[in-house]
Amino acid sequence: MTLETAQQALQPLREQIDAIDSELVKLLAARAKVTAQVGQVKQQFALPVYVPEREQALLHARQQQAEQAGVSPALVEDILRRIMRESYATQDNHFVCCRPAGGKVVVVGGAGALGARFVSLLQRSGYQVAILEQQDWPNAAMLCQDAVLVLLAVPITLTEQVIAQLPPLSPHCVLADLTSIKARPLKAMLAKHPGPVLGLHPMFGPDIHNLIKQVVVACHGRGEADYQWLLKQLVIWGAEISFKDADEHDQAMQLIQAMRHFSSLVYGVHLAEEQANLPELLALSSPIYRLELAMVGRLFAQNAELYADIMLASSDVAALLSRYQQRFSQLLALLQAQDKAGLMAEFAKGQAFFGELAEQFLQESKQLLQKAADGRS
């Protein structure tokens, strides 16, 4: 069979595929119209954009249908998750205001990247939003007058200083912060303001487009009943709220944030000092190593001062990293001694610690790697 004959045989089949793909595009457009209407109903009745139970039920039903039709359930799940991500975006234009009387919100640091994100969300929810920046402090009392919420979105190193500078707030005004450490800012806010106080930590950066499935840690301060509207507003925006004690939060962040950022910093600086050829490393990397390199490289696209502040936020971080350095040295000694049994014994410690989660992480990482491979040209 010649190549020309093969092309002739393929042509009608390709035309069928093109026609089917065209119908898929039409179906996607029709679905988008319906999801936009869903968003309007949710806004009308103050329902959250993201409802995990509904999403899981939808995925489960379509996966079963796919299996019966001889289609890969995993393929259907991937497609639907991507479609749902897009549909959430169509519901992200306007939100219901969860405080019945609305009111004025002051975002201290609202011109910054993260502050601006919350300014936008609050404005789209119908609040009157004022921004308080450094040049506005002479007018702080006037700006904060009658505010129902004063939200602090300033650098870690300035948070306590800014709290101390705040003018007296209305007794029912909620004072909240978005700092990535919680114990010290929460203590400072409780000392400054006799009214309701709430500590918040958005577990995402300012580059996110919406709050769908984004985790926001909440640490209770005082007057819980008075800030329920704010917590509900976060849920309406699509966030998942995780309630934590402030000290427990800070201890966890040492492992989740500070240690990981420091490790990425060291690895990135090491690559620079070794004068590594990044294009060559990428060309030779399988998807998993490409992802790991991307996560390190992502750090260096961020604000250096912000990440330095996170790593320096607690003196306990240095002690934690010293212990990490000791363990690194212990394992390096096994490597230098060519002690295979010793290395395998350390590996076994990790296996025992992760337990069943290791298999779960393996499956999750496989899905991520497949998507990474799909996106590579």
Side-chain angles (χ1 to χ4, degrees):
M1 180 181 291
T2 65
L3 179 60
E4 182 179 354
T5 304
Q7 294 291 356
Q8 290 174 350
L10 285 172
Q11 186 59 33
L13 298 174
R14 286 172 171 167
E15 289 175 355
Q16 289 182 52
I17 290 173
D18 289 346
I20 293 170
D21 288 347
S22 178
E23 289 301 313
L24 284 174
V25 172
K26 293 177 183 178
L27 287 172
L28 288 173
R31 191 184 193 280
K33 290 181 180 178
V34 176
T35 56
Q37 294 172 359
V38 168
Q40 293 172 359
V41 173
K42 287 180 178 179
Q43 292 162 24
Q44 181 181 355
F45 292 95
L47 299 174
V49 175
Y50 169 53
V51 183
E53 298 81 6
R54 163 64 180 163
E55 182 177 294
Q56 288 304 314
L58 187 154
L59 288 171
H60 181 66
R62 297 291 79 79
Q63 285 173 312
Q64 286 186 320
Q65 182 183 357
E67 195 165 6
Q68 293 169 1
V71 178
S72 166
L75 171 63
V76 170
E77 180 183 1
D78 282 350
I79 293 171
L80 284 175
R81 286 192 182 279
R82 180 64 186 87
I83 292 172
M84 286 188 287
R85 247 192 341 265
E86 192 69 24
S87 71
Y88 290 140
T90 67
Q91 303 174 37
D92 193 38
N93 294 323
H94 299 284
F95 302 98
V96 70
C97 181
C98 290
R99 191 175 187 276
K104 180 168 71 172
V105 173
V106 177
V107 181
V108 184
L114 185 60
R117 179 64 62 196
F118 278 86
V119 166
S120 174
L121 287 165
L122 289 159
Q123 288 176 333
R124 282 181 279 156
S125 303
Y127 296 95
Q128 175 192 349
V129 182
I131 295 174
L132 176 57
E133 288 292 335
Q134 185 175 2
Q135 68 272 13
D136 303 313
W137 277 106
N139 301 317
M142 182 186 69
L143 283 171
C144 294
Q145 186 177 4
D146 299 325
V148 299
L149 167 65
V150 172
L151 184 63
L152 304 172
V154 297
I156 297 172
T157 53
L158 299 178
T159 301
E160 292 176 71
Q161 176 186 337
V162 168
I163 292 169
Q165 290 177 338
L166 286 172
L169 305 176
S170 167
H172 297 291
C173 175
V174 178
L175 178 59
D177 77 307
L178 301 175
T179 317
S180 59
I181 60 171
K182 291 271 67 77
R184 280 167 32 200
L186 196 60
K187 182 179 179 181
M189 288 191 294
L190 288 168
K192 176 67 179 182
H193 179 48
V197 170
L198 173 65
L200 297 171
H201 179 197
M203 296 296 295
F204 52 84
D207 56 336
I208 61 101
H209 297 295
N210 57 59
L211 264 61
I212 307 300
K213 301 184 183 181
Q214 298 292 340
V215 174
V216 176
V217 178
C219 300
H220 292 302
R222 180 194 301 120
E224 185 176 339
D226 289 327
Y227 55 71
Q228 285 304 307
W229 65 268
L230 178 55
L231 295 175
K232 185 177 181 181
Q233 193 71 66
L234 289 165
V235 173
I236 292 295
W237 291 336
E240 297 185 59
I241 300 180
S242 177
F243 293 97
K244 291 291 179 187
D245 172 79
D247 289 323
E248 290 178 355
H249 164 275
D250 289 355
Q251 291 174 6
M253 286 308 109
Q254 291 175 19
L255 293 169
I256 294 172
Q257 286 191 323
M259 182 175 171
R260 290 308 311 149
H261 295 331
F262 186 81
S263 297
S264 295
L265 173 64
V266 172
Y267 185 34
V269 171
H270 177 69
L271 290 175
E273 294 287 351
E274 292 289 316
Q275 298 184 348
N277 187 326
L278 287 178
E280 182 179 69
L281 293 182
L282 286 170
L284 295 175
S285 293
S286 63
I288 188 167
Y289 298 121
R290 191 180 182 90
L291 275 177
E292 289 179 346
L293 192 58
M295 293 309 295
V296 173
R298 174 183 169 85
L299 177 74
F300 297 99
Q302 313 293 324
N303 182 290
E305 184 176 9
L306 169 64
Y307 283 84
D309 287 344
I310 290 173
M311 289 182 279
L312 294 168
S314 171
S315 58
D316 294 338
V317 172
L320 173 67
L321 289 169
S322 292
R323 296 194 297 274
Y324 180 74
Q325 184 181 37
Q326 291 171 6
R327 288 163 187 139
F328 186 98
S329 298
Q330 290 169 3
L331 268 68
L332 176 60
L334 294 174
L335 183 66
Q336 290 171 330
Q338 298 289 299
D339 188 347
K340 181 178 179 179
L343 288 170
M344 291 177 65
E346 295 299 319
F347 194 92
K349 287 182 184 178
Q351 286 181 319
F353 175 76
F354 280 93
E356 294 180 358
L357 278 176
E359 182 61 31
Q360 176 184 326
F361 291 155
L362 176 64
Q363 297 307 318
E364 289 180 3
S365 63
K366 281 183 179 179
Q367 295 176 7
L368 289 172
L369 294 173
Q370 287 171 352
K371 292 174 184 176
D374 291 341
R376 188 172 184 179
S377 58

